């Protein structure tokens, strides 16, 4: 059995996944958590890692091939010269391992020690407090024998 790529119709990836799973097709639809700021609040939601595509695990002789294109949400099978393009099991396994590593790492959490890597506080140890917009964060540093809250660029934080 090999993995193959299906292109789904716009905004119908979850629908295509559900209908394929109802037909007992092994599927892989990788998603990642993406943080966004809406109305001044940071929210996270799951978005497809490969927008517009999902993976199916089938035998080349499986009768399910004839039903794929007519499955709700599925647009087409990705291939070359009218032949589906197979993807190695190693590639799919690597994608799964990478998703697990990203999920375990997460983001910077309140109370986590960080090091500032740019600006006037370059090299200073700090404690992350919260995000302040999309590009800034609030950290707590020891400065002049006092603890001070400072706003810095998110790109300046190194865990």
């Amino acid at each position: 059995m090999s993995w193959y790529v299906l292109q789904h119709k716009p905004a119908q990836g979850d629908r295509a996944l559900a209908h394929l799973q109802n037909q007992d097709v092994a599927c892989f639809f990788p998603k990642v958590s993406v943080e966004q700021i809406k109305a001044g609040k940071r929210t996270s939601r799951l978005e497809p890692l490969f927008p517009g595509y999902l993976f199916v695990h089938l035998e080349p002789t499986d009768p399910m091939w004839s039903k794929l294109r007519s499955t709700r949400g599925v647009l087409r099978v990705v291939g070359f010269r009218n032949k589906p393009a197979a993807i190695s099991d190693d590639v799919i396994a690597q994608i799964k391992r990478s998703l697990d590593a990203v999920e375990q790492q997460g983001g910077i959490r309140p109370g986590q020690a960080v090091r500032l890597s740019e600006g006037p506080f370059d090299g200073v140890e700090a404690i992350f407090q919260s995000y302040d917009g999309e590009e800034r964060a609030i950290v707590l540093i020891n400065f002049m024998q006092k603890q001070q809250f400072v706003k810095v660029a998110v790109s300046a934080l190194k865990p």
Side-chain angles (χ1 to χ4, degrees):
M1 286 202 335
S2 294
W3 287 94
Y4 299 92
V5 181
L6 295 181
Q7 184 176 14
H8 61 77
K9 294 177 182 175
Q12 293 190 24
D14 291 322
R15 180 182 202 183
L17 178 68
H19 285 280
L20 288 165
Q21 288 174 336
N22 286 342
Q23 297 175 60
D24 295 324
V25 175
C27 301
F28 177 49
F29 190 38
K31 293 185 176 186
V32 292
S33 179
V34 176
E35 289 187 347
Q36 294 178 326
I37 296 182
K38 286 188 177 181
K41 294 189 179 186
R42 189 172 288 267
T43 61
S44 67
R45 66 181 201 158
L46 288 175
E47 288 188 3
L49 183 61
F50 304 104
Y53 300 94
L54 58 94
F55 303 92
V56 293
H57 199 225
L58 292 171
E59 290 283 350
T61 58
D62 194 321
M64 185 62 205
W65 282 104
S66 62
K67 299 177 185 176
L68 284 180
R69 281 224 31 207
S70 61
T71 300
R72 287 181 177 248
V74 174
L75 185 63
R76 68 184 183 99
V77 177
V78 176
F80 304 100
R81 293 187 176 182
N82 294 326
K83 204 172 177 189
I87 296 178
S88 164
D89 287 338
D90 295 337
V91 172
I92 299 297
Q94 179 60 37
I95 292 170
K96 288 180 180 181
R97 282 192 302 272
S98 298
L99 285 174
D100 291 341
V102 167
E103 186 176 316
Q104 288 174 0
Q105 181 182 8
I108 300 173
R109 304 198 191 294
Q112 182 177 343
V114 294
R115 179 179 293 277
L116 303 177
S117 65
E118 57 187 59
F121 299 109
D122 187 13
V124 172
E125 295 284 330
I127 298 174
F128 178 79
Q129 298 297 304
S130 65
Y131 289 101
D132 183 35
E134 286 187 44
E135 298 179 11
R136 305 206 50 84
I138 300 171
V139 296
L140 182 64
I141 64 170
N142 284 323
F143 184 69
M144 298 181 72
Q145 300 174 349
K146 283 181 131 179
Q147 290 188 333
Q148 303 286 330
F149 289 102
V150 178
K151 291 182 182 181
V152 295
V154 171
S155 61
L157 302 178
K158 302 297 176 209

